[in-house]
Amino acid sequence: MLQLSSMSLKYQRVLLKLSGEQLAGKFDSGIDPALCAWLAEEVKKITDAGGQVVIMVGGGNFVRGAQIAGHGIRRVTGDHMGMLATLINALGLTDIFEANGIETRCLSSIFAEQVAEPFVHRLAQKHLESGRVVIAAGGIGRPYLTTDTAAVSLALELDCQAVLKATKVDGVYDKDPAKHKDAIKHDSVSFQNAVENPDIAVMDKAAMGLAMEYKMPIIVFDAMEAGKLLKVVEGQDIGTTIS
Ligand code: UDP
């Protein structure tokens, strides 16, 4: 079924970046299925409203290349392990989304034909236009990158109108709100500031630089509050917009 664009949504097609840590929820590692099912409900609110959603999943709940490298494991191998971790998350999330009534396809940027469709640009476009959620596995498929950078790159490739970066806090603060009670939240931040200010570490600088170069807005928000994701896509003032 081909979807018509929705009048109620500011962003018709968005890329949602979910880190591995978020998928782990209350656990130290692995996937929290109940939380992922809750996330599926949140994403369904967007697709029900006619929006199109691409999800880039991280893998930090299992492996991060930079952290595991050393003591005999090469950085490149560590990054391969990290990309495989994102595939584990993407496969689990795809099943949970489908179990919750959302048509979903897992497309992998690393060779994994036995378990996922390969990421092919036209295929991804087709799935999105048909109203399916696309879950991207394997980041961008190359080492020395993170899924944040892959998220911005994929958002550009698939003509998304914004990258929604789900975090534990509800936006970008002038200092760490977990450590400082008087931390002030910014409603908006310029790309220049986000790239140059070392205190703004919500996404890695490579991701931020790419977003700045191609003017891809990034909205940083707390996705764990019911209805917030839809509100962001509707264009309500939630979190912090980096643009
Ligand atoms: N990774 C990579 N290339 C990519 C995306 C990811 O090599 O295009 C590897 C990298 O080692 C990274 C790991 O996969 O640390 C997991 O991704 P990330 O750290 O971004 O996960 P998150 O912190 O979002 O859970």
Side-chain angles (χ1 to χ4, degrees):
M1 187 185 63
L2 211 67
Q3 289 195 320
L4 297 173
S5 64
S6 166
M7 300 291 286
S8 65
L9 303 182
K10 177 175 180 184
Y11 305 108
Q12 304 291 329
R13 185 181 283 186
V14 291
L15 186 139
L16 172 65
K17 164 69 208 291
L18 294 172
S19 70
E21 192 184 8
Q22 267 151 349
L23 301 182
K26 57 184 176 293
F27 303 121
D28 290 336
S29 67
I31 296 169
D32 180 343
L35 181 108
C36 292
W38 182 84
L39 277 170
E41 292 294 333
E42 291 300 293
V43 170
K44 195 164 186 293
K45 290 174 187 165
I46 302 175
T47 54
D48 283 350
Q52 299 177 358
V53 183
V54 186
I55 300 178
M56 173 65 68
V57 286
N61 50 333
F62 292 112
V63 176
R64 284 197 187 93
Q67 286 170 0
I68 203 159
H71 304 289
I73 297 179
R74 292 180 303 137
R75 172 62 193 263
V76 171
T77 308
D79 284 336
H80 290 161
M81 294 164 73
M83 284 187 265
L84 287 170
T86 71
L87 181 59
I88 294 174
N89 283 331
L91 289 174
L93 205 58
T94 301
D95 267 17
I96 292 171
F97 270 50
E98 293 241 293
N100 281 273
I102 309 173
E103 261 204 88
T104 308
R105 293 293 182 275
C106 175
L107 302 189
S108 176
S109 290
I110 50 174
F111 303 118
E113 278 79 354
Q114 268 176 307
V115 295
E117 292 177 35
F119 183 89
V120 174
H121 174 78
R122 280 176 187 271
L123 184 60
Q125 290 280 17
K126 194 173 135 257
H127 285 320
L128 290 170
E129 283 159 13
S130 304
R132 296 181 194 115
V133 168
V134 168
I135 300 186
I140 231 167
R142 312 305 320 168
Y144 290 97
L145 289 167
T146 66
T147 51
D148 278 353
T149 312
V152 176
S153 166
L154 190 61
L156 290 164
E157 177 177 346
L158 293 175
D159 300 316
C160 295
Q161 288 143 351
V163 170
L164 314 185
K165 165 84 178 174
T167 60
K168 279 191 287 190
V169 285
D170 60 341
V172 176
Y173 284 75
D174 62 341
K175 50 195 163 194
D176 188 348
K179 290 184 195 144
H180 304 274
K181 278 208 175 84
D182 60 340
I184 297 165
K185 194 188 108 196
H186 299 292
D187 291 333
S188 63
V189 170
S190 70
F191 280 129
Q192 199 72 34
N193 191 4
V195 169
E196 287 170 4
N197 187 342
D199 293 332
I200 298 179
V202 66
M203 265 187 154
D204 58 70
K205 299 297 178 193
M208 215 57 97
L210 188 63
M212 177 161 85
E213 188 168 357
Y214 294 101
K215 299 187 173 57
M216 172 62 68
I218 298 171
I219 303 167
V220 182
F221 72 110
D222 176 6
M224 297 306 161
E225 211 177 288
K228 258 207 177 157
L229 187 54
L230 178 63
K231 285 183 185 161
V232 171
V233 178
E234 285 171 343
Q236 296 190 36
D237 288 334
I238 304 275
T240 302
T241 302
I242 304 172
S243 61

